[in-house]
């Protein structure tokens, strides 16, 4: 697997914490790194134990408190990884991609994997006459992008899976929450029917680790990304997109090499472009 990069971003978000520097060759756990002393940080927002976070446990007690590598029936949280069984060392789960330079949960609620979902809604980019734009012989795709408040980067409007929630529900819920859909009454019924239909046609394009700047040695994000393609533009034809609470902007953006995107989203969009044999 590729080296995680954003998971080693020096300044930990929303804090004054600096990660311990982990050179590329020291990332794998099986490489000995005797001097490795990552700072411990659990954000106050997590430590106050909101409903989306695990209760805080000291050191090796985590192993007793949570069924790692299993479905946690008590809390309705999936603690299995999409990347196979992860190691549990001194009672704590170990990031399957290697060292991050930080221990504690940081901004993440769960010890071990924190499951997310990413809805990639696409359509063909068209000119003013309605013709699909072609670049170097290939049609161009657009996706619904949000501008995130936390990093200022463009991103897929994804989010965390709630306890007991199916990923298919998370995809729809997050999309609705982050990209509020504003349509007038006359069109509401028809449009929501078409969007509903679109959301039943998802194709999975990624399942696994998310190289997120919030990841730590003991807590990390894993996601499933699904593509919902509005091929003739009918589902979103009359729909206006509006930014939700965690978002400063929302727009249809061209899918190509040029955009710097949040977490591993670039990789997911590349997979979508390939799948549709589109320009990238
Ligand atoms: C990324 O963080 C995932 O790919 C997903 O898009 C996102 C989930 O976190 P929040 O949007 O809830 O902050 O790693
Ligand atoms: Mg989100
Ligand atoms: Mg959200």
């Amino acid at each position: 697997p590729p080296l995680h990069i954003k998971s080693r971003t020096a300044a930990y978000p929303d804090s004054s914490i600096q990660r311990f520097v982990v050179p590329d060759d020291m990332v794998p756990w099986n490489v000995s790194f005797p001097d490795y002393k990552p700072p411990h940080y659990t954000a106050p927002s997590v430590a106050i134990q909101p409903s989306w976070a695990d209760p805080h446990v000291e050191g090796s007690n985590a192993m007793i408190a949570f069924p790692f590598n299993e479905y946690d029936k008590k809390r309705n949280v999936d603690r299995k990884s999409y990347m196979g069984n992860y190691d549990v060392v001194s009672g704590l789960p170990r990031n399957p991609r290697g060292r991050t330079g930080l221990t504690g949960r940081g901004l993440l609620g769960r010890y071990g994997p924190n499951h997310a979902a990413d809805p990639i809604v696409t359509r063909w980019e068209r000119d003013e006459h309605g013709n699909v734009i072609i670049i170097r012989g290939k049609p161009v795709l657009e996706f619904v992008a949000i501008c995130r408040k936390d990093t200022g980067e463009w991103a897929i409007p994804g989010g965390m899976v709630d306890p007991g929630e199916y990923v298919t529900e998370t995809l729809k819920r997050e999309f609705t929450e982050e990209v509020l859909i504003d349509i007038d009454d006359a069109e509401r019924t028809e449009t929501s029917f078409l969007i509903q239909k679109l959301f039943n046609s998802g194709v999975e394009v990624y399942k696994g680790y998310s190289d997120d700047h919030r990841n730590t040695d003991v807590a990390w994000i894993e996601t499933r990304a699904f593509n919902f393609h509005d091929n003739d533009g009918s589902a979103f034809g009359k729909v206006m997109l509006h930014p939700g609470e965690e978002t400063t902007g929302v727009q249809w953006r061209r899918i190509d090499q040029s955009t710097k995107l949040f977490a591993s989203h670039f990789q997911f969009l590349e997979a979508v472009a390939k799948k549709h044999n589109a320009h990238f």
Side-chain angles (χ1 to χ4, degrees), residues 6 9 13 143-158 178 211-214 246-251 253 259-266:
K6 295 186 181 178
T9 312
F143 79 110
V144 174
I146 59 160
C147 186
R148 290 187 60 109
K149 268 188 189 155
D150 53 0
T151 66
E153 289 168 303
W154 287 99
I156 299 159
E178 300 198 14
D211 187 12
D212 192 289
H213 65 313
R214 292 167 290 186
E246 294 156 37
T247 308
T248 60
V250 50
Q251 54 181 240
R253 284 183 77 86
T259 340
K260 191 182 167 292
L261 295 169
F262 182 71
S264 302
H265 295 182
F266 181 89

Side-chain angles (χ1 to χ4, degrees), residues 217-247:
D217 285 358
V218 302
W220 61 91
I221 298 180
E222 299 192 7
T223 192
R224 289 176 74 184
F226 281 76
N227 178 213
F228 304 95
H229 182 58
D230 188 12
N231 196 49
D232 58 7
S234 60
F236 284 91
K238 294 163 189 155
V239 174
M240 295 280 283
L241 304 170
H242 281 281
E245 265 171 34
E246 294 156 37
T247 308

Side-chain angles (χ1 to χ4, degrees), residues 18-231:
Q18 291 284 320
R19 291 179 190 263
F20 194 93
V21 176
V22 183
D24 287 357
D25 53 343
M26 301 299 230
V27 169
W29 291 108
N30 58 13
V31 175
S32 150
F33 192 176
D35 294 335
Y36 184 57
K37 286 188 185 63
H40 185 286
Y41 179 63
T42 298
S45 56
V46 172
I48 58 166
Q49 218 179 296
S51 60
W52 48 268
D54 288 336
H56 181 75
V57 288
E58 286 302 327
S60 54
N61 293 331
M63 203 168 78
I64 303 154
F66 312 109
F68 292 128
N69 289 305
E70 282 172 40
Y71 189 83
D72 186 339
K73 293 197 201 85
K74 187 171 149 196
R75 298 180 186 83
N76 273 317
V77 171
D78 191 5
R79 298 190 189 274
K80 287 181 294 208
S81 166
Y82 297 137
M83 293 168 285
N85 275 3
Y86 48 88
D87 292 333
V88 178
V89 178
S90 304
L92 289 168
R94 205 169 230 194
N95 188 315
R97 280 287 185 88
R99 297 183 177 97
T100 66
L102 190 83
T103 190
R105 281 173 291 164
L107 284 162
L108 300 179
R110 308 287 173 197
Y111 291 92
N114 287 250
H115 291 287
D118 284 296
I120 307 168
V121 173
T122 55
R123 71 178 183 192
W124 297 112
E125 186 176 341
R126 292 169 196 272
D127 63 19
E128 64 272 30
H129 309 293
N131 300 316
V132 175
I133 293 177
I134 309 283
I135 296 179
R136 285 188 295 277
K138 289 187 167 180
V140 180
L141 281 170
E142 295 182 315
F143 79 110
V144 174
I146 59 160
C147 186
R148 290 187 60 109
K149 268 188 189 155
D150 53 0
T151 66
E153 289 168 303
W154 287 99
I156 299 159
M160 309 306 297
V161 179
D162 284 344
E165 191 177 45
Y166 286 111
V167 168
T168 48
E169 295 168 344
T170 314
L171 291 160
K172 250 186 279 182
R173 179 180 55 73
E174 283 292 334
F175 190 82
T176 320
E177 280 174 13
E178 300 198 14
V179 183
L180 296 179
I181 290 164
D182 180 41
I183 39 179
D184 70 42
D185 276 342
E187 284 157 355
R188 180 162 282 131
T189 319
E190 193 200 346
T191 306
S192 50
F193 170 77
L194 289 170
I195 290 172
Q196 199 65 29
K197 210 173 120 196
L198 183 70
F199 268 95
N200 288 334
S201 71
V203 176
E204 189 172 71
V205 294
Y206 183 83
K207 183 183 192 176
Y209 193 75
S210 172
D211 187 12
D212 192 289
H213 65 313
R214 292 167 290 186
N215 291 346
T216 77
D217 285 358
V218 302
W220 61 91
I221 298 180
E222 299 192 7
T223 192
R224 289 176 74 184
F226 281 76
N227 178 213
F228 304 95
H229 182 58
D230 188 12
N231 196 49

